Amino acid sequence: MSSEGDVQKLLSDYIFKVLDALGIKNGPAHNEVVLTSNGPILMETGARVHGTGYPKYTETVLGHTQVELTVDAYLDEKRFAKNTGTC
């Protein structure tokens, strides 16, 4: 699934509002959301990296893992910005 589009924007905006409401400003977060006909519904949020049972698949698809992004967020801001589209 592309990371861009109307549904993706809706979900991204929703999750950032959830994280703001929970006071999670930095670091990883694992979120589970169900998209219903009435909009997104939060199932859970954890201030942690998502399960790393299949990091090779994540790396193959995205070019990096959430663990790598977390390390970059603290140690290599330019690489983090490049890999998250925040530059």
Side-chain angles (χ1 to χ4, degrees):
M1 173 182 228
S2 172
S3 61
E4 297 180 12
D6 293 339
V7 172
Q8 294 85 332
K9 173 103 172 87
L10 173 72
L11 293 172
S12 178
D13 290 348
Y14 178 79
I15 288 299
F16 279 114
K17 287 177 186 174
V18 167
L19 296 174
D20 287 344
L22 293 172
I24 299 171
K25 300 292 183 192
N26 296 299
H30 171 79
N31 305 280
E32 293 182 16
V33 177
V34 173
L35 185 56
T36 71
S37 59
N38 293 323
I41 297 176
L42 179 67
M43 301 306 289
E44 95 170 272
T45 292
R48 61 177 175 80
V49 293
H50 112 349
T52 57
Y54 303 101
K56 194 63 179 165
Y57 296 135
T58 304
E59 185 176 21
T60 298
V61 172
L62 299 176
H64 52 267
T65 67
Q66 195 175 27
V67 172
E68 291 170 323
L69 287 178
T70 301
V71 171
D72 288 345
Y74 289 98
L75 301 179
D76 191 341
E77 291 179 27
K78 288 181 182 178
R79 182 174 162 171
F80 176 80
K82 178 182 170 234
N83 286 329
T84 59
T86 58
C87 57

Coordinates of all heavy atoms in Angstrom, one line a residue:
M1 N 0.8 -1.2 0.0 CA 0.0 0.0 0.0 C 0.9 1.2 0.0 O 1.9 1.3 0.7 CB -0.9 0.0 1.2 CG -1.7 1.2 1.4 SD -2.7 1.1 3.0 CE -4.2 1.6 2.4
S2 N 0.6 2.2 -0.8 CA 1.3 3.4 -0.9 C 1.2 4.2 0.5 O 0.2 4.0 1.2 CB 0.7 4.3 -2.0 OG 1.3 5.6 -1.9
S3 N 2.2 5.0 0.8 CA 2.1 5.8 2.0 C 1.4 7.1 1.8 O 1.3 7.9 2.7 CB 3.5 6.0 2.6 OG 4.3 6.7 1.6
E4 N 1.0 7.3 0.6 CA 0.3 8.6 0.2 C -1.1 8.3 -0.3 O -1.3 7.3 -0.9 CB 1.1 9.3 -0.8 CG 2.5 9.7 -0.4 CD 3.3 10.5 -1.4 OE1 2.7 10.9 -2.4 OE2 4.5 10.7 -1.2
G5 N -2.0 9.2 0.0 CA -3.4 9.1 -0.4 C -4.3 9.6 0.6 O -3.9 9.9 1.7
D6 N -5.6 9.7 0.3 CA -6.6 10.3 1.2 C -6.8 9.4 2.5 O -6.8 10.0 3.6 CB -8.0 10.4 0.5 CG -7.9 11.4 -0.6 OD1 -7.0 12.3 -0.6 OD2 -8.8 11.3 -1.5
V7 N -6.9 8.1 2.3 CA -7.0 7.2 3.5 C -5.8 7.3 4.4 O -5.9 7.4 5.6 CB -7.3 5.8 3.1 CG1 -7.3 4.9 4.3 CG2 -8.6 5.7 2.4
Q8 N -4.6 7.3 3.7 CA -3.3 7.3 4.5 C -3.2 8.7 5.3 O -2.8 8.7 6.4 CB -2.1 7.1 3.6 CG -2.1 5.8 2.9 CD -2.9 5.6 1.7 OE1 -3.9 6.3 1.5 NE2 -2.5 4.7 0.8
K9 N -3.6 9.7 4.6 CA -3.6 11.1 5.3 C -4.6 11.1 6.5 O -4.2 11.6 7.5 CB -3.9 12.2 4.3 CG -4.1 13.5 4.9 CD -2.9 14.4 4.6 CE -3.1 15.8 5.0 NZ -2.8 16.1 6.4
L10 N -5.7 10.6 6.3 CA -6.7 10.5 7.4 C -6.2 9.7 8.6 O -6.2 10.2 9.7 CB -8.0 9.8 6.9 CG -9.1 9.5 7.9 CD1 -9.8 10.8 8.4 CD2 -10.1 8.5 7.3
L11 N -5.6 8.5 8.3 CA -5.0 7.7 9.4 C -3.8 8.4 10.0 O -3.7 8.4 11.3 CB -4.7 6.3 8.8 CG -5.8 5.5 8.4 CD1 -5.3 4.2 7.7 CD2 -6.7 5.1 9.6
S12 N -3.0 9.0 9.2 CA -1.8 9.6 9.8 C -2.2 10.8 10.7 O -1.7 10.9 11.8 CB -0.9 10.1 8.6 OG 0.2 10.8 9.1
D13 N -3.1 11.6 10.2 CA -3.6 12.8 11.0 C -4.2 12.3 12.3 O -4.0 12.9 13.4 CB -4.6 13.6 10.2 CG -3.9 14.4 9.1 OD1 -2.7 14.5 9.0 OD2 -4.7 14.9 8.2
Y14 N -5.0 11.2 12.2 CA -5.6 10.7 13.4 C -4.6 10.2 14.4 O -4.7 10.5 15.6 CB -6.6 9.5 13.0 CG -7.3 8.8 14.1 CD1 -8.4 9.4 14.7 CD2 -6.8 7.6 14.6 CE1 -9.0 8.8 15.8 CE2 -7.4 7.0 15.6 CZ -8.5 7.5 16.2 OH -9.2 6.9 17.3
I15 N -3.6 9.4 14.0 CA -2.6 8.9 14.9 C -1.8 10.0 15.5 O -1.5 10.0 16.7 CB -1.7 7.9 14.1 CG1 -2.5 6.6 13.9 CG2 -0.4 7.6 15.0 CD1 -3.0 5.9 15.1
F16 N -1.4 11.0 14.8 CA -0.7 12.1 15.4 C -1.5 12.9 16.4 O -1.0 13.3 17.5 CB -0.2 13.1 14.3 CG 1.1 12.6 13.6 CD1 1.1 12.3 12.3 CD2 2.3 12.5 14.3 CE1 2.2 11.8 11.7 CE2 3.4 12.0 13.7 CZ 3.4 11.7 12.4
K17 N -2.8 13.0 16.2 CA -3.7 13.5 17.3 C -3.7 12.7 18.5 O -3.7 13.1 19.6 CB -5.1 13.7 16.7 CG -5.2 14.9 15.7 CD -6.6 15.0 15.2 CE -6.7 16.1 14.1 NZ -8.0 16.1 13.4
V18 N -3.8 11.3 18.3 CA -3.7 10.4 19.4 C -2.4 10.5 20.2 O -2.4 10.6 21.4 CB -3.9 8.9 18.9 CG1 -3.6 7.9 20.0 CG2 -5.3 8.7 18.4
L19 N -1.3 10.6 19.5 CA 0.0 10.7 20.1 C 0.1 12.0 20.9 O 0.6 12.0 22.0 CB 1.1 10.5 19.1 CG 1.2 9.1 18.4 CD1 2.3 9.2 17.3 CD2 1.5 8.0 19.4
D20 N -0.4 13.1 20.3 CA -0.4 14.4 21.0 C -1.2 14.3 22.3 O -0.8 14.8 23.3 CB -0.9 15.5 20.1 CG 0.1 15.9 19.0 OD1 1.3 15.5 19.1 OD2 -0.4 16.5 18.0
A21 N -2.4 13.7 22.2 CA -3.3 13.6 23.3 C -2.6 12.8 24.5 O -2.8 13.0 25.6 CB -4.6 13.0 22.9
L22 N -1.8 11.8 24.1 CA -1.2 10.9 25.1 C 0.2 11.5 25.5 O 0.8 11.0 26.4 CB -0.9 9.5 24.5 CG -2.2 8.7 24.2 CD1 -1.8 7.4 23.4 CD2 -2.9 8.4 25.5
G23 N 0.6 12.6 24.9 CA 1.8 13.3 25.3 C 3.1 12.6 24.8 O 4.2 12.8 25.3
I24 N 2.9 11.8 23.7 CA 4.0 11.1 23.1 C 4.6 12.0 22.0 O 3.9 12.1 21.0 CB 3.6 9.7 22.6 CG1 3.1 8.8 23.7 CG2 4.8 9.0 21.9 CD1 2.5 7.5 23.3
K25 N 5.7 12.6 22.3 CA 6.3 13.6 21.3 C 7.5 13.0 20.6 O 7.7 13.4 19.5 CB 6.7 14.8 22.1 CG 5.6 15.5 22.8 CD 4.6 16.1 21.8 CE 3.5 16.8 22.6 NZ 2.4 17.2 21.7
N26 N 8.2 12.1 21.2 CA 9.5 11.6 20.6 C 9.5 10.1 20.8 O 9.0 9.6 21.8 CB 10.7 12.2 21.2 CG 10.8 13.7 21.0 OD1 10.8 14.1 19.8 ND2 10.7 14.5 22.0
G27 N 10.2 9.4 19.9 CA 10.4 8.0 20.0 C 9.3 7.2 19.2 O 8.4 7.8 18.7
P28 N 9.5 5.9 19.2 CA 8.6 5.1 18.5 C 7.2 4.9 19.1 O 7.1 5.1 20.3 CB 9.3 3.7 18.4 CG 10.1 3.7 19.7 CD 10.5 5.1 19.9
A29 N 6.2 4.5 18.3 CA 4.9 4.2 18.8 C 4.3 3.2 17.9 O 4.4 3.3 16.7 CB 4.0 5.4 18.9
H30 N 3.7 2.2 18.5 CA 3.0 1.1 17.7 C 1.5 1.4 17.9 O 1.0 1.5 19.0 CB 3.4 -0.3 18.3 CG 2.5 -1.3 17.7 ND1 2.7 -1.9 16.5 CD2 1.4 -2.0 18.2 CE1 1.8 -2.8 16.2 NE2 1.0 -2.9 17.3
N31 N 0.8 1.6 16.8 CA -0.6 1.9 16.9 C -1.5 0.9 16.1 O -1.1 0.5 15.0 CB -0.8 3.3 16.3 CG 0.0 4.4 17.0 OD1 -0.3 4.8 18.0 ND2 1.1 4.7 16.3
E32 N -2.6 0.6 16.6 CA -3.5 -0.3 15.9 C -4.8 0.5 15.8 O -5.4 0.9 16.8 CB -3.7 -1.6 16.6 CG -2.5 -2.4 16.6 CD -2.7 -3.8 17.3 OE1 -3.8 -4.2 17.5 OE2 -1.6 -4.4 17.6
V33 N -5.3 0.7 14.5 CA -6.5 1.5 14.2 C -7.4 0.7 13.3 O -6.9 0.0 12.4 CB -6.1 2.8 13.6 CG1 -7.3 3.6 13.2 CG2 -5.2 3.6 14.5
V34 N -8.7 0.7 13.5 CA -9.6 0.1 12.6 C -10.3 1.3 11.9 O -10.8 2.3 12.5 CB -10.7 -0.7 13.4 CG1 -11.8 -1.2 12.4 CG2 -10.0 -1.9 14.0
L35 N -10.4 1.2 10.6 CA -11.0 2.3 9.8 C -12.5 1.8 9.5 O -12.7 0.8 8.8 CB -10.3 2.5 8.5 CG -10.8 3.7 7.6 CD1 -10.9 5.0 8.4 CD2 -10.0 3.8 6.4
T36 N -13.4 2.5 10.1 CA -14.8 2.2 10.0 C -15.5 3.2 9.0 O -14.9 4.2 8.7 CB -15.6 2.1 11.3 OG1 -15.7 3.5 11.8 CG2 -14.8 1.3 12.4
S37 N -16.8 2.9 8.7 CA -17.5 3.9 7.9 C -17.7 5.2 8.7 O -18.0 6.2 8.0 CB -18.9 3.3 7.5 OG -19.6 3.0 8.7
N38 N -17.5 5.2 10.0 CA -17.6 6.5 10.8 C -16.3 7.1 11.0 O -16.2 8.1 11.7 CB -18.3 6.2 12.1 CG -19.7 5.8 12.0 OD1 -20.5 6.3 11.1 ND2 -20.2 4.8 12.8
G39 N -15.2 6.5 10.5 CA -13.9 7.1 10.7 C -13.0 6.1 11.5 O -13.4 5.0 11.8
P40 N -11.8 6.5 11.8 CA -10.8 5.6 12.5 C -11.3 5.4 13.9 O -11.8 6.3 14.6 CB -9.5 6.4 12.4 CG -9.7 7.7 11.7 CD -11.2 7.8 11.4
I41 N -11.0 4.2 14.4 CA -11.2 3.9 15.8 C -9.9 3.3 16.4 O -9.4 2.4 15.8 CB -12.3 2.9 16.0 CG1 -13.7 3.5 15.6 CG2 -12.4 2.5 17.5 CD1 -14.8 2.6 15.6
L42 N -9.4 3.9 17.5 CA -8.2 3.4 18.1 C -8.4 2.1 18.8 O -9.3 2.0 19.7 CB -7.6 4.5 19.0 CG -6.3 4.2 19.8 CD1 -5.2 4.1 18.8 CD2 -6.0 5.2 20.8
M43 N -7.6 1.1 18.6 CA -7.6 -0.1 19.3 C -6.6 -0.1 20.4 O -6.8 -0.5 21.5 CB -7.4 -1.3 18.4 CG -8.4 -1.4 17.2 SD -10.1 -1.4 17.8 CE -10.2 -3.0 18.6
E44 N -5.3 0.3 20.1 CA -4.3 0.4 21.1 C -3.1 1.3 20.6 O -2.9 1.4 19.4 CB -3.7 -1.0 21.4 CG -2.5 -1.4 20.6 CD -1.8 -2.7 21.1 OE1 -1.0 -2.6 22.0 OE2 -2.2 -3.7 20.6
T45 N -2.4 1.9 21.5 CA -1.2 2.6 21.2 C -0.2 2.2 22.3 O -0.5 2.1 23.5 CB -1.4 4.1 21.3 OG1 -2.2 4.5 20.2 CG2 0.0 4.8 21.1
G46 N 1.0 1.9 21.8 CA 2.1 1.5 22.8 C 3.3 2.4 22.4 O 3.7 2.5 21.2
A47 N 3.9 3.0 23.4 CA 5.1 3.8 23.2 C 6.3 2.9 23.1 O 7.1 2.8 24.0 CB 5.3 4.9 24.3
R48 N 6.4 2.2 22.0 CA 7.4 1.2 21.8 C 7.5 0.9 20.3 O 6.6 1.2 19.5 CB 7.0 -0.1 22.5 CG 5.7 -0.7 22.0 CD 5.4 -2.1 22.6 NE 4.1 -2.6 22.2 CZ 3.8 -3.2 21.1 NH1 4.7 -3.4 20.2 NH2 2.6 -3.6 20.8
V49 N 8.6 0.2 19.9 CA 8.7 -0.2 18.6 C 7.7 -1.3 18.3 O 7.4 -2.1 19.3 CB 10.1 -0.7 18.2 CG1 11.1 0.5 18.2 CG2 10.6 -1.8 19.0
H50 N 7.2 -1.5 17.1 CA 6.3 -2.5 16.8 C 7.1 -3.9 16.9 O 8.3 -3.9 16.8 CB 5.6 -2.2 15.5 CG 5.9 -3.1 14.3 ND1 6.9 -4.0 14.2 CD2 5.3 -3.2 13.1 CE1 6.9 -4.6 13.1 NE2 6.0 -4.1 12.4
G51 N 6.4 -4.9 17.0 CA 7.0 -6.3 17.1 C 8.1 -6.4 16.0 O 7.8 -6.1 14.8
T52 N 9.3 -6.8 16.4 CA 10.4 -6.9 15.4 C 10.6 -8.4 14.9 O 11.7 -8.8 14.6 CB 11.7 -6.4 16.0 OG1 11.9 -7.1 17.2 CG2 11.5 -4.9 16.3
G53 N 9.5 -9.1 14.9 CA 9.6 -10.5 14.4 C 10.0 -10.7 13.0 O 10.6 -11.7 12.6
Y54 N 9.8 -9.7 12.2 CA 10.1 -9.8 10.7 C 10.9 -8.6 10.2 O 10.4 -7.9 9.3 CB 8.8 -10.0 9.9 CG 8.0 -11.2 10.4 CD1 6.9 -11.1 11.2 CD2 8.4 -12.5 10.0 CE1 6.2 -12.2 11.6 CE2 7.7 -13.6 10.4 CZ 6.6 -13.4 11.2 OH 5.9 -14.5 11.7
P55 N 12.0 -8.2 10.9 CA 12.6 -7.0 10.5 C 13.2 -7.0 9.0 O 13.2 -6.0 8.3 CB 13.8 -6.8 11.5 CG 14.0 -8.2 12.0 CD 12.6 -8.9 12.0
K56 N 13.5 -8.2 8.5 CA 14.0 -8.3 7.2 C 13.0 -7.9 6.2 O 13.2 -7.3 5.2 CB 14.6 -9.7 6.9 CG 15.4 -9.8 5.7 CD 16.7 -9.0 5.8 CE 17.5 -9.1 4.6 NZ 18.5 -8.0 4.6
Y57 N 11.7 -8.3 6.4 CA 10.6 -7.9 5.5 C 10.4 -6.4 5.5 O 10.2 -5.8 4.5 CB 9.3 -8.6 5.9 CG 9.3 -10.1 5.8 CD1 8.8 -10.9 6.8 CD2 9.9 -10.8 4.7 CE1 8.9 -12.3 6.7 CE2 9.9 -12.1 4.6 CZ 9.4 -12.9 5.6 OH 9.4 -14.3 5.5
T58 N 10.4 -5.8 6.7 CA 10.3 -4.4 6.8 C 11.4 -3.7 6.1 O 11.1 -2.7 5.3 CB 10.2 -4.0 8.3 OG1 9.2 -4.7 9.0 CG2 10.0 -2.5 8.4
E59 N 12.6 -4.1 6.3 CA 13.7 -3.5 5.6 C 13.7 -3.7 4.1 O 14.0 -2.8 3.3 CB 15.0 -4.1 6.1 CG 16.3 -3.5 5.6 CD 17.6 -4.0 6.2 OE1 17.5 -5.1 6.7 OE2 18.6 -3.3 6.1
T60 N 13.2 -4.8 3.6 CA 13.1 -5.1 2.2 C 12.1 -4.1 1.6 O 12.3 -3.6 0.5 CB 12.7 -6.5 1.9 OG1 13.7 -7.4 2.4 CG2 12.5 -6.8 0.5
V61 N 10.9 -3.9 2.3 CA 9.9 -3.1 1.7 C 10.2 -1.6 1.9 O 10.0 -0.9 0.9 CB 8.5 -3.5 2.4 CG1 7.4 -2.5 2.0 CG2 8.1 -4.9 2.1
L62 N 10.6 -1.2 3.1 CA 10.8 0.2 3.3 C 12.2 0.7 3.2 O 12.5 1.9 3.1 CB 10.3 0.5 4.7 CG 8.8 0.2 5.0 CD1 8.5 0.5 6.5 CD2 8.0 1.1 4.1
G63 N 13.2 -0.2 3.2 CA 14.6 0.2 3.2 C 15.2 0.4 4.5 O 16.4 0.8 4.6
H64 N 14.4 0.3 5.6 CA 14.9 0.5 7.0 C 13.9 -0.2 7.9 O 12.8 -0.5 7.5 CB 15.1 2.0 7.3 CG 13.8 2.8 7.0 ND1 13.7 3.4 5.8 CD2 12.7 3.0 7.7 CE1 12.5 4.0 5.7 NE2 11.9 3.8 6.9
T65 N 14.3 -0.3 9.2 CA 13.4 -0.9 10.2 C 13.0 0.2 11.2 O 13.7 1.3 11.2 CB 14.0 -2.0 10.9 OG1 15.1 -1.5 11.7 CG2 14.5 -3.1 10.0
Q66 N 12.0 0.0 12.0 CA 11.6 1.0 13.0 C 12.8 1.1 14.0 O 13.0 2.2 14.5 CB 10.3 0.5 13.7 CG 9.7 1.7 14.4 CD 8.3 1.3 15.0 OE1 8.1 0.2 15.3 NE2 7.5 2.3 15.2
V67 N 13.5 0.1 14.3 CA 14.6 0.1 15.2 C 15.7 1.1 14.7 O 16.2 1.9 15.4 CB 15.2 -1.3 15.6 CG1 16.5 -1.2 16.4 CG2 14.2 -2.1 16.3
E68 N 16.0 0.9 13.4 CA 17.0 1.8 12.8 C 16.5 3.3 12.8 O 17.3 4.2 13.1 CB 17.2 1.4 11.3 CG 18.0 0.1 11.2 CD 18.0 -0.5 9.8 OE1 17.0 -0.3 9.0 OE2 19.1 -1.0 9.4
L69 N 15.2 3.5 12.5 CA 14.7 4.9 12.6 C 14.8 5.5 14.0 O 15.1 6.6 14.1 CB 13.2 4.9 12.1 CG 13.0 4.7 10.6 CD1 11.5 4.8 10.4 CD2 13.7 5.8 9.8
T70 N 14.6 4.6 15.0 CA 14.7 5.1 16.4 C 16.1 5.5 16.7 O 16.3 6.6 17.3 CB 14.2 4.0 17.3 OG1 12.8 3.7 17.0 CG2 14.3 4.5 18.8
V71 N 17.0 4.7 16.3 CA 18.5 5.0 16.5 C 18.8 6.3 15.8 O 19.5 7.2 16.3 CB 19.4 3.9 16.1 CG1 20.8 4.3 16.1 CG2 19.1 2.7 17.0
D72 N 18.4 6.4 14.5 CA 18.7 7.6 13.7 C 18.1 8.8 14.3 O 18.7 9.9 14.3 CB 18.2 7.4 12.3 CG 19.0 6.5 11.5 OD1 20.1 6.1 11.9 OD2 18.5 6.0 10.4
A73 N 16.9 8.7 14.9 CA 16.2 9.9 15.5 C 17.1 10.5 16.6 O 17.1 11.7 16.8 CB 14.9 9.5 16.1
Y74 N 17.9 9.7 17.3 CA 18.7 10.1 18.4 C 20.1 10.5 17.9 O 20.8 11.4 18.4 CB 18.8 9.1 19.5 CG 17.5 9.0 20.3 CD1 16.6 8.0 20.0 CD2 17.2 9.9 21.3 CE1 15.4 7.9 20.7 CE2 16.0 9.8 22.0 CZ 15.1 8.8 21.6 OH 13.9 8.7 22.3
L75 N 20.6 9.7 16.9 CA 22.1 9.9 16.5 C 22.3 10.5 15.2 O 23.4 10.9 14.9 CB 22.7 8.5 16.6 CG 22.7 7.8 18.0 CD1 23.3 6.4 17.9 CD2 23.3 8.6 19.0
D76 N 21.4 10.4 14.2 CA 21.6 10.9 12.9 C 20.3 11.6 12.4 O 19.6 11.0 11.6 CB 22.0 9.7 12.0 CG 22.5 10.2 10.6 OD1 22.3 11.3 10.2 OD2 23.2 9.3 10.0
E77 N 20.1 12.8 12.8 CA 18.9 13.5 12.5 C 18.6 13.7 11.0 O 17.5 13.6 10.5 CB 18.8 14.9 13.1 CG 18.7 14.8 14.6 CD 18.7 16.2 15.3 OE1 18.3 17.2 14.7 OE2 19.1 16.2 16.5
K78 N 19.7 13.9 10.2 CA 19.6 14.0 8.7 C 19.1 12.7 8.1 O 18.2 12.8 7.3 CB 20.9 14.5 8.1 CG 21.3 15.9 8.4 CD 22.6 16.3 7.8 CE 22.9 17.7 8.1 NZ 24.2 18.2 7.5
R79 N 19.6 11.6 8.5 CA 19.2 10.3 8.0 C 17.7 10.1 8.4 O 16.9 9.6 7.6 CB 20.1 9.2 8.4 CG 19.7 7.9 7.9 CD 20.8 6.8 8.2 NE 20.2 5.5 8.0 CZ 20.9 4.4 8.1 NH1 22.2 4.4 8.4 NH2 20.3 3.3 7.9
F80 N 17.4 10.4 9.6 CA 16.0 10.2 10.1 C 15.1 11.0 9.3 O 14.0 10.5 8.8 CB 15.9 10.6 11.6 CG 14.5 10.5 12.1 CD1 14.0 9.3 12.5 CD2 13.8 11.6 12.2 CE1 12.7 9.2 12.9 CE2 12.5 11.6 12.7 CZ 11.9 10.4 13.1
A81 N 15.4 12.3 9.1 CA 14.5 13.1 8.3 C 14.4 12.6 6.9 O 13.3 12.6 6.3 CB 15.1 14.6 8.3
K82 N 15.5 12.2 6.3 CA 15.4 11.6 4.9 C 14.5 10.4 4.8 O 13.7 10.3 3.9 CB 16.8 11.3 4.4 CG 16.9 10.7 3.1 CD 18.3 10.3 2.7 CE 18.3 9.5 1.4 NZ 19.0 8.2 1.5
N83 N 14.7 9.5 5.8 CA 13.9 8.2 5.7 C 12.5 8.4 6.2 O 11.6 7.5 5.9 CB 14.6 7.2 6.6 CG 15.8 6.6 5.9 OD1 15.9 6.6 4.7 ND2 16.8 6.2 6.7
T84 N 12.1 9.5 6.8 CA 10.7 9.7 7.3 C 10.0 10.8 6.5 O 8.8 11.0 6.7 CB 10.7 10.0 8.8 OG1 11.4 11.2 9.0 CG2 11.2 8.9 9.6
G85 N 10.7 11.4 5.5 CA 10.1 12.4 4.7 C 9.9 13.7 5.5 O 9.0 14.5 5.1
T86 N 10.6 13.9 6.6 CA 10.4 15.1 7.4 C 11.4 16.2 7.0 O 11.5 17.2 7.8 CB 10.5 14.8 8.9 OG1 11.7 14.2 9.2 CG2 9.3 13.9 9.2
C87 N 12.2 16.0 6.0 CA 13.2 17.1 5.6 C 12.6 18.0 4.6 O 11.6 17.8 4.0 CB 14.5 16.5 5.1 SG 14.3 15.4 3.7

